[in-house]
Amino acid sequence: MKTLFLYLFLLSSTLLTAQHAGPKRIDSLKNVLEHTNNNDTGKIVKIAEELIANTDSDEEKFYLLGVIISSYATKNDRKKSIEYLFRAKQIAENLNDVGLTIRVYATIASLYASLKVNDKAMLYLKQAWQQTEKLPAGDEKSSMQAFLYNEQGNFYYNTEDYRQANKNFSLSLGKFKETLDGPAGANTPFYYKSLLHNYGKSFLHLSQPDSSMLYLNRALVIKDTLYPNLKYHIYLSLSEAYAAKAQYRRATDTLEALLKDKAFAIPELQLAAYLNLSRNYKALGDTEKYTFYNEKYLALMPHVKQEDVEAISTVYAAEQQELLNKAKTSQSLLMWGIAGVVVAGAVVAYFTYRKRKREKAIYTGVIQNLERRLASNTAVPQAAHTVTDIPQATVPVPVEQDILHKLAQFEAANRFTSPKITLATLAVQFKTNTNYLSEVINREKGKNFNAYLNELRINYICNLIHTNPEYLNYKISYLAESCGFASHSSFATVFKNVTGISPSAFLKQAAKDFSNK
């Protein structure tokens, strides 16, 4: 689970002590900005941009950009945060202010780490550490080192080196404790709370849930209003600690309480909650709720991944613009061309990676559904419906029971693989009429006859591919015929509609699955 932009607030953590006098309107705007709620992003951006346009002070511009970034971060708007962050970076470098430059570099490192772009994250971390060498010994240097140890811990956490992450979080806590009461410890409650959270969640991956719960609960009791959403990250980590101790009911209660909170409407956090709930209910043996939350997870995941894609595109675009500006200044168009090719290649690689990751997640979801159906001896799960969804039954009860029995035999014998099966031919085989058969399928299977038949066929071929490696060598046209489709194109269309990915992508994932066994 990612903790996004927790340290963007560093950019606006210290109010400027020296601001030159200006017209009354400027003074009034500064006063309004200082007292505006951080969630009122539209108002903050409008006032801050006007103030930026009316000041020649780079220090003041930096502070105002930090206020804007802080507000967008509260809204979880990474795209806008990124755009303003790179504006702040340019100002910090122009000012040659070591402290500001460290904060910007470390924040960009945090951004890249949250997006799993680890090489870029480490690059900016190294640049930030180099800047700390310019600081004299004292509270400010210790505070900067504490901040960087924490970001380094996040880097190792994202690369799954949890022991090294735990070590860096511990070093960060030690450094921050040294400066708690010093002038460099401004806004320390927020930093300390987030550090305790990071330290606590790292223990989870070291199989030490008791230590994890200890630090996570310490983090919860710290009062801080700088980043209200931090408590949600902590509760999510706590739910994982409960699950690690097999306290599944306590974990589900925690997560469901979060979902009822209106302020919890952050897709990334909701995705983590759905995933953890599905796992916990599976452990509790509650198939219905496991299915419910697993489907919620699979439905939301593409949206969250798309947000990641948009964020990484914005980052690269910001860096491209920065390179372009430098190229114009130095009249070095060759440098820009090379950089553009490199960045374009990186973007293509990233999109390809995201696509493959999404296909893998969908493949895993399909296989989990297949295994669940086999475990419950049900070929197709019945869709939930209410009396308002389905018309009142007109089929006599004995006839309905007979049709359901024959449908079960039909599914068990894989007779749906015959390309000649239609509603009319199946009704004749069942010795009933098409109206009765259609009504029973609609009500009991939650879909019309064609959708029911297509899903049976696709699940059948998916199971064959998953369990029989020889099917990986067959042409898609043969796979289509094997499960009852008359053509390659109709099979490919239905396959993607049912599973979410193409047959070729499914085959690639299955091949990887077999190679890893």
Side-chain angles (χ1 to χ4, degrees):
M1 183 180 62
K2 298 175 287 189
T3 303
L4 300 176
F5 295 111
L6 289 185
Y7 294 96
L8 284 169
F9 302 102
L10 273 169
L11 300 177
S12 59
S13 62
T14 306
L15 292 173
L16 297 178
T17 55
Q19 297 179 353
H20 43 256
K24 289 184 178 180
R25 172 170 173 75
I26 299 300
D27 291 338
S28 175
L29 285 173
K30 290 177 181 178
N31 183 60
V32 172
L33 182 64
E34 187 174 345
H35 293 91
T36 298
N37 189 296
N38 202 43
N39 288 310
D40 195 349
T41 305
K43 185 176 180 180
I44 285 175
V45 173
K46 184 177 180 180
I47 295 173
E49 285 285 20
E50 183 171 349
L51 289 171
I52 289 171
N54 284 278
T55 181
D56 296 324
S57 167
D58 282 340
E59 290 89 347
E60 191 164 351
K61 287 179 181 179
F62 187 91
Y63 160 69
L64 292 166
L65 288 171
V67 173
I68 295 174
I69 293 167
S70 173
S71 185
Y72 275 124
T74 301
K75 294 287 190 181
N76 207 46
D77 189 336
R78 289 187 293 179
K79 186 174 181 180
K80 287 294 184 181
S81 296
I82 291 164
E83 291 172 359
Y84 282 96
L85 175 60
F86 275 86
R87 282 177 63 181
K89 174 179 178 287
Q90 186 175 0
I91 291 175
E93 290 174 339
N94 290 341
L95 284 169
N96 200 26
D97 186 305
V98 175
L100 295 184
T101 304
I102 291 172
R103 290 177 175 124
V104 173
Y105 286 170
T107 303
I108 295 174
S110 176
L111 161 67
Y112 276 120
S114 75
L115 295 171
K116 306 289 187 182
V117 187
N118 296 315
D119 55 341
K120 284 281 191 177
M122 182 52 72
L123 174 65
Y124 275 99
L125 274 176
K126 286 180 178 178
Q127 291 179 358
W129 276 111
Q130 288 169 1
Q131 291 290 318
T132 62
E133 299 303 317
K134 300 177 183 179
L135 292 172
D139 283 349
E140 185 182 8
K141 186 169 186 175
S142 294
S143 183
M144 289 296 103
Q145 289 173 334
F147 179 50
L148 292 178
Y149 275 129
N150 179 66
E151 290 309 316
Q152 206 157 276
N154 283 329
F155 169 82
Y156 286 117
Y157 187 90
N158 281 307
T159 56
E160 300 182 5
D161 188 346
Y162 301 116
R163 193 163 298 282
Q164 194 64 37
N166 181 270
K167 180 180 178 180
N168 275 272
F169 291 142
S170 178
L171 289 169
S172 183
L173 279 169
K175 285 288 183 181
F176 262 120
K177 286 177 181 178
E178 292 177 9
T179 63
L180 275 174
D181 300 321
N187 291 320
T188 297
F190 161 70
Y191 305 138
Y192 192 49
K193 184 172 186 172
S194 61
L195 275 172
L196 288 172
H197 169 236
N198 288 340
Y199 197 31
K201 70 179 184 180
S202 68
F203 280 111
L204 274 174
H205 298 278
L206 299 177
S207 301
Q208 298 179 46
D210 289 322
S211 295
S212 177
M213 290 168 65
L214 173 67
Y215 286 100
L216 292 173
N217 281 308
R218 283 184 184 177
L220 278 177
V221 300
I222 295 175
K223 294 182 180 180
D224 172 66
T225 58
L226 191 58
Y227 186 63
N229 291 340
L230 180 55
K231 65 177 179 291
Y232 297 133
H233 293 271
I234 298 171
Y235 277 120
L236 282 168
S237 296
L238 262 178
S239 74
E240 293 176 13
Y242 296 148
K245 290 178 66 66
Q247 297 175 6
Y248 302 113
R249 183 60 61 187
R250 191 177 182 186
T252 57
D253 289 345
T254 300
L255 293 167
E256 290 187 331
L258 286 179
L259 290 172
K260 291 177 183 177
D261 188 337
K262 292 181 180 179
F264 188 67
I266 300 171
E268 182 188 354
L269 301 184
Q270 290 174 328
L271 187 72
Y274 291 149
L275 178 61
N276 288 341
L277 277 166
S278 66
R279 288 172 174 171
N280 290 325
Y281 277 119
K282 185 176 184 180
L284 288 169
D286 191 331
T287 304
E288 183 179 353
K289 286 195 173 181
Y290 160 71
T291 302
F292 175 77
Y293 284 112
N294 188 52
E295 289 176 353
K296 284 228 173 227
Y297 170 76
L298 292 174
L300 181 60
M301 182 171 54
H303 170 70
V304 173
K305 298 308 178 187
Q306 181 60 32
E307 284 190 342
D308 283 351
V309 169
E310 291 175 358
I312 192 65
S313 298
T314 305
V315 174
Y316 281 126
E319 289 204 331
Q320 280 184 355
Q321 188 59 47
E322 196 171 45
L323 286 171
L324 180 59
N325 292 338
K326 290 178 179 178
K328 286 180 178 179
T329 302
S330 63
Q331 296 182 343
S332 178
L333 294 177
L334 178 60
M335 180 188 297
W336 164 241
I338 295 172
V341 171
V342 172
V343 171
V347 171
V348 170
Y350 181 79
F351 273 77
T352 302
Y353 163 76
R354 284 294 182 187
K355 180 182 178 183
R356 289 176 180 172
K357 192 171 182 180
R358 175 179 173 274
E359 288 174 348
K360 181 179 180 181
I362 292 174
Y363 171 83
T364 302
V366 171
I367 299 307
Q368 288 175 346
N369 286 335
L370 285 173
E371 291 172 348
R372 186 168 65 251
R373 288 167 186 151
L374 291 172
S376 60
N377 293 318
T378 306
V380 179
Q382 296 182 7
H385 53 264
T386 65
V387 292
T388 59
D389 299 320
I390 305 298
Q392 198 69 23
T394 60
V395 184
V397 173
V399 174
E400 179 172 351
Q401 293 300 317
D402 182 63
I403 290 174
L404 287 172
H405 176 69
K406 288 176 178 176
L407 280 174
Q409 293 179 324
F410 171 74
E411 294 169 7
N414 298 331
R415 285 159 51 200
F416 48 80
T417 58
S418 169
K420 297 180 180 180
I421 288 292
T422 65
L423 181 65
T425 59
L426 193 60
V428 170
Q429 293 177 22
F430 283 10
K431 297 181 180 179
T432 187
N433 63 62
T434 55
N435 290 336
Y436 281 179
L437 179 57
S438 178
E439 182 178 329
V440 171
I441 289 174
N442 271 275
R443 184 170 60 254
E444 298 300 329
K445 303 300 181 181
K447 51 182 68 67
N448 62 35
F449 175 78
N450 285 334
Y452 165 65
L453 189 65
N454 284 337
E455 190 166 314
L456 284 173
R457 288 171 171 174
I458 297 303
N459 287 331
Y460 170 78
I461 200 65
C462 284
N463 187 54
L464 286 178
I465 295 169
H466 174 60
T467 55
N468 299 282
E470 64 267 25
Y471 275 80
L472 299 175
N473 302 316
Y474 295 158
K475 292 182 178 180
I476 291 177
S477 56
Y478 177 83
L479 299 177
E481 292 175 3
S482 299
C483 60
F485 286 91
S487 70
H488 177 138
S489 60
S490 62
F491 169 70
T493 300
V494 173
F495 192 102
K496 188 165 186 178
N497 287 339
V498 172
T499 65
I501 56 175
S502 66
S504 58
F506 188 92
L507 288 166
K508 286 179 183 177
Q509 293 300 327
K512 291 179 182 178
D513 202 12
F514 276 112
S515 66
N516 292 331
K517 290 181 180 178

